[in-house]
Amino acid sequence: MPHPLRPAVFVLAAALALTGCGADVTSREDGEGGTSAADGHYPVTVENCGERKRFDRAPERVVTNDVGITEIMFALGLEDHMAGYVMPDDKGDMTSVPWKDGYKKTKWLSKDRINKELVLDARADLVFAGWNYGFNEGEGFTPAELERVGVDSYLLSESCRNGQGKARGVMPPLEALYTDLRNLGEIFDVEDRADTLITSFRKEVADARSRAATGDDRLRVFLYDDGKDKPLTSGAYAGPHDIITKAGGDHIMKDLKDSWTTVGWETVVDRDPEVIVINDYGDTGAEEKRKFLKSYKPLAGVSAIKNDRIVVLDYVDLVESPRNPAAISSLAEDLRTFAR
């Protein structure tokens, strides 16, 4: 992505370990189905997208797909358990986050799409990806296909399918992040690291919310990802929903029970957003997207366009990633400025 990540405050202060935070993590189990105590940490069983997955040891050669997923591993300090990562080089600044050293320590396997051959060449024992975050039936790259060749998988919780066709989303976006951090903490025996991250993230979000608008004072916000004929946007289960809501905005597509999906421009016009957030990534940069929005005649009467209230956040801020809490703080500041 051409433009650098916006400055954001990352709060990573030490925190008390959490022992009962509602994680989708089951108790440790031994081979007979009972709990393990004196016998050590493994095996462990976690629930991932409705499936119980057992690990007899920590995976040692993980391949991750996409920037948010990769940075979840880095934030947990799990570089030594990775064979490498796959992502294009349009995902923004990688140098201003606390876990930036992960990029230096870990092999960038490909800037193209992840596939089975790449995974096998890397001798991966686990692939951490998600539906439409690498996994895709149309391309024949699925957890079931990996299982057939002896490679385990872990699905990004934001991408869990909810039983309504291929619609994605089974929990609030931030809870998906916390769930993955807890699960991975169990899988890799780094629960203290996971709990510290979750505690610091919850505090950062709470601080932002304490200064955010509420009730009728909230500005209506639309997330614009891409698309001219029909805009790609966020429903209730993608990261922008919690980012907008907890920053003090009213997410105008909160009734869409999906994660990333398309809508009609007439719906956007009808709901009259007062602020538009642009997702900056890919070949069409933020400035080009801004020019399109401001020149697209059906949007001319929309409040956000009339008042030039357009905010840019990077892709990694908006997909499930450890940058989500900082994005909430950043957007909350913008919304407070607009509301003055």
Side-chain angles (χ1 to χ4, degrees):
M1 203 177 309
H3 96 222
L5 183 70
R6 306 180 49 177
V9 178
F10 290 85
V11 180
L12 292 172
L16 293 174
L18 307 179
T19 58
C21 300
D24 289 330
V25 178
T26 64
S27 63
R28 301 173 190 173
E29 297 180 351
D30 61 29
E32 303 300 322
T35 58
S36 170
D39 294 338
H41 182 75
Y42 296 97
V44 298
T45 301
V46 301
E47 184 175 325
N48 177 219
C49 290
E51 179 184 355
R52 288 168 61 83
K53 298 185 70 70
R54 171 175 163 140
F55 294 84
D56 293 323
R57 59 180 175 80
E60 298 177 351
R61 295 191 60 79
V62 181
V63 170
T64 58
N65 185 71
D66 210 9
V67 58
I69 291 169
T70 300
E71 291 193 0
I72 289 173
M73 293 289 287
F74 291 168
L76 287 168
L78 296 174
E79 299 92 336
D80 291 344
H81 290 267
M82 295 177 64
Y85 61 90
V86 178
M87 71 172 74
D89 56 4
D90 65 352
K91 299 300 172 133
D93 176 47
M94 310 297 184
T95 63
S96 60
V97 290
W99 44 86
K100 62 185 178 183
D101 286 348
Y103 288 106
K104 301 175 184 176
K105 298 176 182 177
T106 311
K107 188 174 182 179
W108 195 342
L109 297 172
S110 176
K111 298 179 182 181
D112 204 349
R113 292 181 181 273
I114 191 171
N115 57 57
K116 184 173 67 175
E117 290 70 27
L118 179 150
V119 168
L120 293 176
D121 286 346
R123 296 181 290 114
D125 54 3
L126 182 136
V127 172
F128 182 11
W131 291 116
N132 285 34
Y133 290 91
F135 289 130
N136 189 314
E137 289 98 342
E139 298 176 1
F141 187 71
T142 66
E145 179 60 27
L146 288 179
E147 185 177 7
R148 280 193 284 271
V149 295
V151 181
D152 208 345
S153 59
Y154 182 90
L155 282 162
L156 184 75
S157 287
E158 182 190 81
S159 80
C160 295
R161 287 176 173 166
N162 59 30
Q164 305 297 317
K166 293 186 177 180
R168 294 172 293 165
V170 296
M171 64 184 75
L174 273 181
E175 192 54 44
L177 172 63
Y178 300 154
T179 293
D180 286 335
L181 289 170
R182 293 187 197 109
N183 278 351
L184 293 165
E186 278 283 296
I187 292 168
F188 291 95
D189 195 14
V190 291
E191 297 98 322
D192 286 351
R193 296 180 200 171
D195 290 341
T196 297
L197 282 172
I198 294 168
T199 298
S200 66
F201 290 162
R202 287 190 183 278
K203 182 179 185 304
E204 185 167 13
V205 172
D207 287 347
R209 294 187 74 180
S210 71
R211 301 188 301 275
T214 59
D216 293 339
D217 293 330
R218 295 181 301 156
L219 297 174
R220 298 182 302 277
V221 182
F222 171 64
L223 185 283
Y224 178 61
D225 182 286
D226 205 353
K228 294 185 177 180
D229 294 336
K230 286 187 175 182
L232 179 65
T233 189
S234 163
Y237 293 119
H241 174 73
D242 268 353
I243 292 168
I244 291 167
T245 303
K246 290 177 170 52
D250 179 12
H251 180 207
I252 68 168
M253 298 299 173
K254 58 183 176 290
D255 57 324
L256 296 179
K257 304 304 180 185
D258 201 345
S259 57
W260 298 92
T261 188
T262 57
V263 296
W265 282 117
E266 62 276 8
T267 302
V268 179
V269 172
D270 184 62
R271 298 184 181 188
D272 188 27
E274 296 166 286
V275 178
I276 295 176
V277 176
I278 290 175
N279 185 5
D280 187 13
Y281 73 103
D283 295 333
T284 305
E287 191 54 38
E288 188 174 344
K289 291 177 182 179
R290 183 194 297 268
K291 288 179 180 177
F292 164 71
L293 292 170
K294 295 186 74 172
S295 64
Y296 188 52
K297 289 183 179 179
L299 294 178
V302 166
S303 297
I305 301 301
K306 290 192 298 183
N307 296 308
D308 196 24
R309 290 175 171 176
I310 298 176
V311 176
V312 176
L313 289 172
D314 279 339
Y315 172 91
V316 65
D317 296 331
L318 296 166
V319 297
E320 183 190 322
S321 82
R323 300 200 203 188
N324 295 158
I328 292 171
S329 296
S330 177
L331 181 58
E333 183 177 347
D334 288 326
L335 294 182
R336 286 196 301 273
T337 299
F338 290 145
R340 288 175 188 149

